Amino acid sequence: MQNEIQAAGRDFFLTTKRRISFYRSRAYSAYPQLEHAIFTRNGGISRAPFDSLNLSHSVGDDPAAIEHNFQAVCRVLGIASDQTVACHLVHGADVMAVTRANRQPLMGYFDGLVTAEPDIFLYLRFGDCTPLLFFDPETPAVGLTHAGWRGTMKNAAGATVAAMTRLGCNPANIIAIIGPAIGPCCYEVGPEVITAAAASLAEPGRLFQKNGRVGHAQFDMWAANWQQLAAAGVKQIIQSELCTACHTDQFFSHRAEQGQTGRFGVILGLRGGAQ
Ligand SMILES: [Zn+2]
């Protein structure tokens, strides 16, 4: 069966509310019980190089500005900040299932969170690594995962589908989004990544383009995650096709900004009221 690929131009749209700009998916917006947003870097109060909607405490920004930004994004979605659940990202593929019983503002050291319970809003931050969003409208359940190149080599996408399956999801019902991340246009990698891919990925040959530099290549991390989602049985995959490094006017990019930058947020969860 052919997987459905929806182009960014058709599925994603940019919204601005209270000066904060964020992307939403048309496919996801069809489900009133699902709340989701991929925030841009615009609409916050952080100063350069974190201008302006930085949500990460690990990049050197003013904690008061980050807290202001965090409260602002929660207000935009109409959720309370203590309904969000995050984790320390460690470039692995461990996925935690969040429940009302075990929920904490910071769940520990994971790169993916899943939940089938309402009013738990998964919240992770990105700046080139791939945001993977998951929604199964049948169960219902959601997942949110951080896949940089290391997490991609460990199949963080497949680990998240497996975690959702343990919640009762059928992978064929999951609608997955590959969010804004550094694209093959801008992601030059060296021997470390190329060697790891040869050992870890199913079809590494399709994921690298030679770029004239010996020992280096352009890595298509979007396609690597697409392959893993498809291999895990996901039939509906939406590729945002938004390169963070090409669009530093909209997103933070660790690579394009030489590490001196912030992180944008992604929030995803099920609303209790509309169940
Ligand atoms: Zn690019």
Side-chain angles (χ1 to χ4, degrees), residues 71-268:
Q71 294 298 334
V73 300
C74 290
R75 257 198 313 280
V76 158
L77 296 186
I79 65 175
S81 56
D82 64 3
Q83 291 180 306
T84 64
V85 174
C87 54
H88 296 285
L89 304 175
V90 288
H91 296 280
D94 289 335
V95 179
M96 180 68 186
V98 186
T99 65
R100 269 185 291 274
N102 73 5
R103 65 180 298 164
Q104 302 276 341
L106 267 171
M107 294 298 296
Y109 295 83
F110 300 99
D111 284 275
L113 298 171
V114 296
T115 188
E117 297 190 21
D119 294 327
I120 294 174
F121 294 94
L122 310 179
Y123 168 48
L124 299 182
R125 286 147 281 194
F126 302 87
D128 280 347
C129 292
T130 314
L132 298 173
L133 290 73
F134 301 81
F135 173 52
D136 171 0
E138 301 297 324
T139 302
V142 291
L144 178 60
T145 291
H146 163 263
W149 77 262
R150 291 178 192 278
T152 301
M153 297 307 158
K154 294 170 185 162
N155 193 10
T160 311
V161 174
M164 291 186 71
T165 304
R166 290 194 288 275
L167 296 179
C169 300
N170 178 345
N173 294 332
I174 293 173
I175 306 167
I177 292 175
I178 299 171
I182 191 165
C185 38
C186 297
Y187 197 19
E188 183 184 271
V189 296
E192 185 183 17
V193 177
I194 297 167
T195 305
S200 309
L201 302 181
E203 297 179 83
R206 293 168 163 228
L207 302 174
F208 294 92
Q209 288 290 336
K210 288 190 166 55
N211 64 5
R213 288 193 62 206
V214 175
H216 292 69
Q218 301 298 120
F219 178 40
D220 192 341
M221 189 163 55
W222 300 344
N225 278 281
W226 191 91
Q227 285 181 3
Q228 292 174 339
L229 291 166
V234 179
K235 304 294 184 196
Q236 297 176 76
I237 304 169
I238 298 164
Q239 164 60 272
S240 75
E241 292 169 21
L242 289 166
C243 172
T244 44
C246 283
H247 298 286
T248 52
D249 57 324
Q250 292 191 67
F251 299 105
F252 297 110
S253 170
H254 182 81
R255 173 68 66 97
E257 299 171 279
Q258 289 86 43
Q260 301 298 305
T261 192
R263 300 287 182 270
F264 60 90
V266 178
I267 296 179
L268 170 79

